[in-house]
Structures are given as C-alpha cells and as structure tokens.
Amino acid sequence: MNSAQILVVDDEQEIRDLVEEILEDEGYRVRTAQDGASAREAMRAHVPDLVLLDIWMPDVDGVTLLKEWTDGGGPACPVVMMSGHGTVETAVEATRLGAWDFIEKPLSMPKLLLTVERALESGRPGTPQPLAGARGEPAAEPVGKSAVMRQLRDDARRIAAHDTRVLLRGEAGAGKRCLARYIHDHSPRREGPFIELSAGSLGERGVGDLFGIDRNGQPAPGALELARGGTLYLADVCELDAELQGQLLSVLKSGRFQRQGGAEVLDLDVRLIAGTRLELADAVRAGRFREDFYYYLDVVPLAVPALREHVEDVPELLHYYVNCLVERDGLSYREFTVAAQNRLRNHSWPGNVRELENLVQRLLIMGEGEKIEVAEVEAALAEERRSGNAAEGLSADLHLELPLREAREAFERRYLQEQLRRAQGSVGQLARLTGMERTHLYRKLKALGIDPRERA
C-alpha cells in the first residue's frame, strides 16, 4: 500500500521535512501543512489516505482540528496524532474523537513506519481504534537490581508520597524522565495526567507552551493546564529562559495563572518535577539561573546515577530494552549472548541508559540472526567511536587541499559535531555555544547531515 497519500501536519519545518523524506523513501506520496489553516485547505482540496497531525500548532491545536473533522461523523481517513507533550489523557480524548493512534516525539522512525502501515491497512475507521497511549504503557520503573538502583527507587517512593517539588539531577540520558514518571505513578496524583515539557525546546512560544494561549476567545491549553490534577515534568530546566523563570516562579508561588492573551484566571493544581543535567548552583553563580527560582526548586533534590556507576545492571537493561523495542516498534527479537553482555558491562557508557537503548535499537534493526554476538557488539561500538571521533582534532585537519566551499563545509560539520558533543545533544545549549539562531541552526545541521538526536 506504499502508493498511499499521506498528509503531514506539523508547525516545525524540520520535522515536516524529515517525515516527508522518510515516507517518500518508503514509496508513499506526501503532502505537508504547516498549521491548522493550511491543513484545512489541504483536506478540502483532497482527502488523503492518512493524516499525521501534530497536537501543538500556532493557530489551532490538533485536537480542536480533529474535532472539526469529526463533526461530519468521523474523520474521512485515519488520523494519527503526534506530540512531544503526549499524555494518556490526551490520547484518550483523541481516541474519543476518532483518532486512530497516538505517537510521541521525538519520533521513533521504526514505530512511525509501523503505525503508518497499520493505519493504512485499517482504512477508514468505523469504530475508532484504541490508541497506544490510551491502552497505557507499563508503569515506568528505573531498571536495575544493584544497591544504588534499589536505593533510588526507595527514595523515589518516599518522595512520591509528599506533594512537594522535586529536582532531579543527572547526566544526559541517565533516566531522569523515567524517574519522574515513577514518582508520579507512586504519588496520590497517579490518576492525573503526566505532562513532559523540555525547557530547551521552548523558544518564542514558550509562554504559550507553558501557560496556554487565548486567541479571540478560542483557548488552547498549555502544559500547566494540561497537567491539572497531575504532574508536570520540566526537563532541562537549566535551559529555561530567564524571563520565563521569573514568570513561572510567580505562578508557582501564587497558585494562579492566565493564558497568554486571555483574561480568565485559572487555579494551579500541578506537582512540578524539574530535571537538570547541569549543577544549578553553578549556573546561579555564573548568572545564568535565578537564585530565587533555584532555591524554590531545590526542596527535595534527588541524584540519578550515571550508568557507569551501576554497570552490573547492564544485562537486565539489555533484556528490558530488547523486549520493549520488540513490543513497541515491532522489531524482530534477538538475544545478547553472555559474552556480548559481559563486553557491554565493561563499556564506559558516556551516553548512559539512552546510549544503551539506542545501541539495542540499532542492533535489532541492522543485525540478523537470533543471537547478538560479541563481534557484532564490537563493530557497533567501533562505529560509535568513529562517529564520536569525527569531531576530534578539529584544528588538525583543515582540508586545505579542497575548494573553499567544500573546505568550509568540512570545517562547519566538524565544528558543530564537537559543539554538539559538548552540549550533550541539546540543540538549545548548542545554539548558545555557537551563537546561532535556532531555526538557522536546525537548517544548518540538516544541510550538513548532522542529526542531533544521535547525541541526545
């Protein structure tokens, strides 16, 4: 069914371009729309076989758009919702309105392709299909039987019982989001929504993303409103703009807020969990973070250990992610041999648990056979080292033999790769290190073939 036409609706050009390129490589015909208005126009011109619809857009949110299409008795084609702020609550609402499925950002490409294939096979939905988010995932739990992980879970459960702010410290990829979800799942707010918002992703629309927007009496809820009765996990709080820090602190202290452009005063009913990979005390001393906001957040600090501090848990983590990726993304099951597991126990894991998950995913996608042998693991680790070393020796090889344009591109590529490594995969931090505007930075990364998610 690879001749089907798919409409991709997303306000981020980089995501539209990426999804369009991948789907066209699979043989699909793709149209794109950048906002609700252009999506409406595209649907009026020609109803596609499938719509991939972002929830957060500047003019109208995706759920509202889905409601419009439902007024006629249901969407004229399967609709798959996409959002980086996904919750079970949002998924259930989208299901009720007739959406076929729900996938979270950052997009897993194997899962995206599998969802697209299944949605197209379903045809026009009669009775709406249950969403992946609505079905619910197993309760998130930091994996590991080591003493340090047992202590972490014990501390998290004790903290969960008290409805207070929590500050999670830990390196990029160590599992702060998983721990935040674990605290939520063991708290009195467990029946409420769990909303995740990355401070590093908040640009000019940060106020609207946090507090919501009201345009001419048409409200679009923000993260604080969506998380009502539940938990808001604010990741990378160290990257929150200084002005937004002050606004959020004021709202948290007063317990009331207003949508951007609106007059209605809303009560705040949210537990805040913040995550940071940087020491906020250092950021305060450097003048990059408000001291009053730091002390407000730092009521209950909890450190998430780096994977190198509990490598005895590597075999269990490998088993967990194999099963998870097989079930979630439909990948073929493969088993790590004991020798391969032992080799990975001796790896330094600079990218922590996220690096391990990415490695497992790559081996399941690219490898063959039921067993993952140590030689295949060595080859995958060598490829990682080659990618990491691409930014090494930045000044050692300036490609002086190349024409100016090619030499400049080579230098820019290696420069950005090195800065991305220093930023630990954060595009927000990369923008600060390079002094580049984020939209231009995304275009430059795409033009140079650099995927920041590989470093995240």
Side-chain angles (χ1 to χ4, degrees), residues 92-107:
V92 171
E93 174 67 5
T95 304
R96 187 182 66 79
L97 294 170
W100 192 88
D101 207 339
F102 180 94
I103 52 179
E104 289 185 299
K105 296 177 182 177
L107 298 174

Side-chain angles (χ1 to χ4, degrees), residues 67 70 199 360:
K67 285 180 182 177
T70 306
V360 172

Side-chain angles (χ1 to χ4, degrees), residues 84-157:
H85 311 273
T87 67
V88 172
E89 181 183 84
T90 307
V92 171
E93 174 67 5
T95 304
R96 187 182 66 79
L97 294 170
W100 192 88
D101 207 339
F102 180 94
I103 52 179
E104 289 185 299
K105 296 177 182 177
L107 298 174
S108 162
M109 291 309 152
K111 181 178 181 179
L112 173 67
L113 293 175
L114 181 64
T115 302
V116 165
E117 181 181 350
R118 289 176 175 173
L120 288 170
E121 287 175 355
S122 76
R124 187 185 186 282
T127 302
Q129 300 290 322
L131 294 168
R135 288 192 293 268
E137 300 175 354
E141 178 169 327
V143 176
K145 298 177 182 176
S146 62
V148 66
M149 293 305 292
R150 290 200 304 270
Q151 185 63 54
L152 182 66
R153 289 192 294 268
D154 288 345
D155 290 344
R157 284 194 294 269

Side-chain angles (χ1 to χ4, degrees), residues 255-320:
R256 308 175 80 192
F257 68 99
Q258 291 173 277
R259 303 186 192 99
Q260 185 180 25
E264 183 182 3
V265 178
L266 305 173
D267 290 329
L268 184 69
D269 180 17
V270 170
R271 180 183 195 166
L272 178 66
I273 301 178
T276 178
R277 57 188 166 73
L278 303 178
E279 282 296 334
L280 292 186
D282 294 339
V284 169
R285 284 189 288 271
R288 297 192 305 271
F289 203 85
R290 290 178 59 121
E291 185 175 22
D292 53 355
F293 192 37
Y294 165 60
Y295 285 118
Y296 185 85
L297 293 176
D298 198 34
V299 176
V300 182
L302 193 58
V304 183
L307 183 51
R308 62 180 175 276
E309 298 174 24
H310 58 109
V311 290
E312 60 267 43
D313 292 323
V314 165
E316 187 178 355
L317 283 162
L318 293 172
H319 179 72
Y320 171 82

